Amino acid sequence: MSFSVQKMTVPLVLVAAFALAAALFVASFPEPSRAQASGRHVFYVARSGHDSAGGSSKHPFRTVQHAVRAVPAGSLIRVRRGTYRGFEVKHNGITVAAAPGAKVHIRGGGDEDVVQFTDVRNGGLRGLKVLGSDVQYGSAVKVTDSQGVRIHHISAYGSRTFGIVVVDSRGVKLDHNNIFHNASGIEERRAKNLRIVANDIHDNTKEVDSGRGQEGITFYESTGRVEVSGNHFHNNRTHLEVYGASHLVIHGNSFRAGQVMETGTGGQGCRHNKFVRNVATRGSTHSNGMILRCAKDMLVAQNVFDGFDDFGLYIVNGLRGVSYGASIAGLRVLNNIVVGGRAYSLGAHLPRSVTIDHNLINNDGSKAAYGDHLAYVDGPGNAETLRQFTRWTGFDKHGVGRSPMFVNRSGGNFHLRAHSPAINSGAVLASPYKGRRPDIGRYERR
């Protein structure tokens, strides 16, 4: 059986029309990519692009703001080399990232917040350099009413006020960022399940007003868990400001050249915060340790404080006429090494539930402002020995008053030598240990 096919002649004008329509149809969609094949759309932005284009690799958009409005939820936007204006993301799952190897700068052009994520789930930023806003109370990056946003491997710098702000959001992660030359590096307000991990937070020394500025991180009335781990803080006037914030877990960080922490409140207390296994050193400028006047049921344990001028730990009853104070009942200060300056400054009438014990405090004649004294106690004055301090206060009955024998203190190695008196001298806490008892200080002897 055979079939005969009748030849049909199509006018050339129709052929041209069909070809044009097909070209327009194809151009209206981005080219396929590996990410698309795995279920995620990838779009591109370039200085040479056009916002009327489709956003493909060959036909990129020109502005990031158009891209974040035009692409579907869950998309990745790769930005090629150049400087771009700020933008606001209002769609779920949009990630804006520098293209591989590209140096991408984002600037605000007078906007209050240069980059914003508002009422979204997931998505984030990667690999961008964001110059902050010069507007008072503005920021380089702001995340508001959002969930699951990740900001990582960016620079947030040069803002008049905030580098990164997280407001009324949960599940946000800020990691591996360089945050510097702002008034406040990071500010979180009422955040929950926030993770701040492995960032370099430094040289945030600008002043904004009498209540804000010169801070690494400000925690403001947070109630859910906030984890701060593996970060490097240096050359901020105050590294951590805790204002009416609770359930902070601050562990495994390094602090240098700046006051370590100040706690306070305008009403709401500070409860169940933990500051554990951190290393804090004075640096080359006048610096102090921790001001604890709002610290109910707080744990300060397994840390090293080296060389601070006025105090390693200043502890005062926040309910006895202290400005910005609140309860410190249940505060526990255990297994810390405080050397090279005046270890404590203690206020009068501390609650009986405050525990200070199993700490190694030693003054080796440092150059700190009050380095000639071991501790200060409101009333009796400066204690010169651990025995005298314990007799006056009843604290550190199991404390150690000898050199901790660090491996290389001048080189910043605060591990313990084999015969350190800090080994097996700590109080037993929930964290694991290797010997008969926990070692005092940041590191367990291996």
Side-chain angles (χ1 to χ4, degrees):
M1 181 181 296
S2 62
F3 294 91
S4 61
V5 179
Q6 183 177 3
K7 186 175 181 180
M8 185 184 333
T9 303
V10 181
L12 291 178
V13 64
L14 291 180
V15 172
F18 291 151
L20 178 61
L24 291 174
F25 180 80
V26 170
S28 66
F29 289 91
E31 294 150 358
S33 68
R34 293 180 182 177
Q36 284 177 307
S38 63
R40 191 175 195 188
H41 294 284
V42 179
F43 297 86
Y44 294 83
V45 174
R47 295 294 299 163
S48 59
H50 298 277
D51 284 344
S52 60
S56 68
S57 178
K58 293 182 178 179
H59 302 93
F61 297 124
R62 180 174 177 80
T63 66
V64 183
Q65 183 61 77
H66 177 82
V68 298
R69 289 175 178 170
V71 303
S75 296
L76 170 64
I77 299 172
R78 288 179 174 163
V79 185
R80 290 174 175 156
R81 181 170 60 102
T83 300
Y84 301 83
R85 288 202 53 162
F87 53 91
E88 182 174 13
V89 179
K90 292 186 176 182
H91 295 158
N92 293 336
I94 304 297
T95 296
V96 180
K103 294 182 179 180
V104 179
H105 299 265
I106 307 295
R107 298 186 176 183
D111 296 328
E112 181 173 348
D113 302 291
V114 177
V115 176
Q116 301 177 65
F117 288 80
T118 306
D119 193 22
V120 300
R121 290 178 177 266
N122 304 322
L125 300 179
R126 184 175 72 241
L128 309 177
K129 299 181 183 299
V130 185
L131 176 63
S133 171
D134 59 3
V135 176
Q136 190 172 24
Y137 309 123
S139 68
V141 179
K142 186 174 184 179
V143 180
T144 305
D145 296 318
S146 296
Q147 181 174 338
V149 173
R150 183 184 181 191
I151 311 296
H152 62 124
H153 292 94
I154 77 161
S155 293
Y157 68 100
S159 183
R160 181 176 175 182
T161 307
F162 308 117
I164 301 176
V165 185
V166 181
V167 183
D168 294 319
S169 297
R170 63 176 60 197
V172 173
K173 184 177 182 180
L174 313 176
D175 66 288
H176 298 90
N177 301 299
N178 188 15
I179 305 169
F180 61 99
H181 290 171
N182 309 286
S184 294
I186 298 172
E187 178 163 302
E188 66 88 6
R189 307 174 203 155
R190 302 172 298 276
K192 295 181 179 179
N193 299 323
L194 169 65
R195 298 185 65 206
I196 302 174
V197 180
N199 301 282
D200 193 5
I201 303 171
H202 62 99
D203 296 290
N204 296 289
T205 57
K206 296 180 182 180
E207 290 185 336
V208 179
D209 55 35
S210 60
R212 279 193 173 114
Q214 301 184 317
E215 296 149 351
I217 303 178
T218 300
F219 307 94
Y220 184 85
E221 295 186 350
S222 51
T223 57
R225 178 185 169 94
V226 176
E227 176 191 350
V228 182
S229 63
N231 302 281
H232 300 285
F233 297 84
H234 51 105
N235 298 322
N236 308 293
R237 183 172 179 180
T238 299
H239 300 305
L240 303 175
E241 181 84 20
V242 177
Y243 188 87
S246 299
H247 301 286
L248 310 177
V249 180
I250 301 164
H251 65 97
N253 305 280
S254 67
F255 302 88
R256 179 175 59 82
Q259 181 169 274
V260 178
M261 176 187 286
E262 181 172 2
T263 66
T265 186
Q268 179 172 304
C270 313
R271 299 178 175 86
H272 302 290
N273 294 320
K274 295 181 180 180
F275 187 90
V276 296
R277 295 202 180 275
N278 303 284
V279 171
T281 58
R282 175 185 184 272
S284 60
T285 59
H286 188 285
S287 299
N288 290 318
M290 302 177 72
I291 298 177
L292 301 176
R293 60 187 173 195
C294 180
K296 182 175 174 58
D297 297 320
M298 183 174 182
L299 175 65
V300 179
Q302 311 281 174
N303 304 288
V304 171
F305 300 90
D306 182 15
F308 290 103
D309 287 285
D310 302 321
F311 52 82
L313 294 157
Y314 171 66
I315 302 171
V316 61
N317 189 341
L319 298 179
R320 298 296 290 261
V322 178
S323 298
Y324 305 107
S327 175
I328 64 166
L331 168 65
R332 294 180 295 157
V333 179
L334 300 165
N335 300 359
N336 302 285
I337 295 177
V338 193
V339 295
R342 194 163 64 176
Y344 304 126
S345 182
L346 302 186
H349 310 294
L350 297 183
R352 292 185 178 182
S353 58
V354 170
T355 301
I356 303 174
D357 205 355
H358 290 275
N359 301 289
L360 186 155
I361 58 175
N362 184 58
N363 189 334
D364 53 6
S366 74
K367 297 180 180 180
Y370 288 90
D372 294 334
H373 308 291
L374 186 67
Y376 173 80
V377 181
D378 189 7
N382 284 304
E384 310 305 330
T385 66
L386 174 60
R387 184 176 180 181
Q388 185 180 41
F389 172 75
T390 301
R391 187 172 69 249
W392 287 355
T393 66
F395 293 131
D396 268 326
K397 291 181 179 179
H398 303 93
V400 177
R402 298 162 55 194
S403 169
M405 298 177 61
F406 293 127
V407 170
N408 185 1
R409 177 182 171 189
S410 63
N413 187 340
F414 294 98
H415 288 82
L416 303 173
R417 293 181 182 271
H419 300 292
S420 168
I423 295 173
N424 295 325
S425 297
V428 176
L429 302 173
S431 58
Y433 56 93
K434 299 177 182 180
R436 297 188 307 274
R437 299 179 64 86
D439 298 342
I440 299 175
R442 164 67 178 88
Y443 301 103
E444 280 283 313
R445 169 74 182 177
R446 295 179 180 176

